[in-house]
Amino acid sequence: MKFFWKFVNTFVITLSKSPLHKIISDRILILYVIGSKTGNVYKIPVSYFEIAPGKLCCVTNRKNLWWKNLTNPKDTEVIFRGKIINTTAVASINDKDQIEGYLDALCRHSRVDGFFANVRYTNGEPLEQDIEAAGQVMVAVTVMT
């Protein structure tokens, strides 16, 4: 399974830099994360939703350790709508309302996000109890473009 996701991520990263980026640009950005211990640059594809002009929200499962490099606001880069831009990103693990709000926004924007977060839908709306349950194992990431 690890090989599969490495292949998918490599494909998405390559696509995001190409003229065909419009296929995924309204849902996925590539976040450059610098490892605090290693100094290595990791390119992480993440789903996003623009909750306000210049303010993007993302969520990730706490098991995905890359977010720990963003617990304090960090200047970084993202590939956003086909262009590399400078941004500030910060992860939040303790703000239950923010995590659930971001997750709800993402699930309303894309059912794929709901699928990966195990959120079910009724009449096209994500179930609140599933948002609350998934929020217990998620981290909110805010990206300012």
Side-chain angles (χ1 to χ4, degrees):
M1 191 60 118
K2 189 175 181 178
F3 174 78
F4 171 76
W5 286 113
K6 185 171 180 143
F7 173 79
V8 169
N9 286 349
T10 300
F11 176 77
V12 169
I13 291 165
T14 302
L15 183 62
S16 72
K17 297 179 197 176
S18 79
L20 298 174
H21 71 85
K22 291 179 182 181
I23 296 170
I24 60 170
S25 287
D26 66 333
R27 297 190 194 287
I28 297 174
L29 63 83
I30 311 302
L31 183 61
Y32 287 62
V33 177
I34 300 171
S36 59
K37 292 180 183 175
T38 65
N40 293 339
V41 176
Y42 301 97
K43 297 174 186 170
I44 313 292
V46 293
S47 295
Y48 76 90
F49 180 70
E50 190 166 19
I51 56 176
K55 184 177 182 181
L56 312 177
C57 70
C58 312
V59 294
T60 190
N61 194 299
R62 291 180 188 178
K63 293 186 299 186
N64 301 326
L65 300 178
W66 61 264
W67 62 267
K68 289 185 176 186
N69 295 298
L70 300 175
T71 53
N72 294 314
K74 295 271 181 32
D75 291 333
T76 188
E77 293 180 333
V78 295
I79 301 175
F80 179 62
R81 296 185 177 149
K83 297 178 182 167
I84 297 176
I85 60 172
N86 292 318
T87 66
T88 300
V90 64
S92 173
I93 191 169
N94 296 320
D95 189 337
K96 177 184 178 293
D97 292 336
Q98 181 186 37
I99 294 167
E100 290 177 7
Y102 282 12
L103 183 57
D104 184 69
L106 282 162
C107 289
R108 289 173 188 280
H109 180 62
S110 169
R111 285 191 144 203
V112 172
D113 291 305
F115 172 79
F116 283 111
N118 294 317
V119 173
R120 296 169 293 170
Y121 293 79
T122 298
N123 299 324
E125 298 291 318
L127 293 177
E128 187 175 333
Q129 67 264 25
D130 287 358
I131 296 288
E132 291 172 3
Q136 298 295 315
V137 297
M138 297 286 181
V139 175
V141 178
T142 305
V143 178
M144 303 300 287
T145 59

